[in-house]
Amino acid sequence: MNINLTLIGQAIWFALFVAFCMKFVWPPISRALEERKQKIAEGLSAADRAERDLELAQEKATANLKEAKEKAAEIIEQANRRANQIVEEAKDQARTEGERLIAKAQSEIEQEVNQAREQLRKEVSALTLSGAEKVLGGEINRDTHKQLLDQLAAEL
């Protein structure tokens, strides 16, 4: 009977130990497990949110990069157009300046040709007078024969 009484005593003490554990030990352990479970769930939730945020940030960065590339291409295109426009304006200005210089040079040439003709006319009229004096053997008065000399110079 010792074995039976010992078994009954051990069973009673085991039941008291289980009751003690259920009343005083199990609630703090259960609470700690529940808190740990919540912390893990919050951590996983935060990780999911962070992953979504990272994906959104990457998409936004990609979109911003694409937009920046488009703007850069547009700015480069505008710069190229402006450069071409400046080159064309410079060509037009150079062409206009060249035409102006050519016209000025032609005008100067015409003036010099006219001056040379006028000087040549004067020299020819002087030579003509001196030749006529020699032929006629007398002196021809310039003042009296001015009209005739001007007409002769105009014909030359």
Side-chain angles (χ1 to χ4, degrees), residues 58-73:
Q58 286 177 342
E59 289 174 5
K60 188 175 181 180
T62 303
N64 286 344
L65 183 61
K66 183 178 179 182
E67 184 179 338
K69 284 181 181 180
E70 289 173 358
K71 284 184 180 179

Side-chain angles (χ1 to χ4, degrees), residues 1-38:
M1 239 169 105
N2 272 344
I3 292 179
N4 283 341
L5 188 60
T6 306
L7 275 177
I8 292 176
Q10 284 181 351
I12 292 173
W13 277 111
F14 184 73
L16 288 174
F17 177 72
V18 168
F20 176 78
C21 283
M22 293 277 288
K23 180 146 179 115
F24 296 108
V25 176
W26 187 254
I29 291 175
S30 177
R31 216 176 10 258
L33 287 175
E34 191 62 35
E35 288 174 3
R36 179 74 177 144
K37 183 179 173 183
Q38 282 181 338

Side-chain angles (χ1 to χ4, degrees), residues 93-111:
Q93 288 177 351
R95 192 175 297 118
T96 304
E97 184 68 18
E99 290 172 358
R100 187 184 65 78
L101 289 175
I102 289 171
K104 183 179 177 184
Q106 287 176 344
S107 172
E108 289 176 3
I109 290 171
E110 281 183 31
Q111 286 177 351

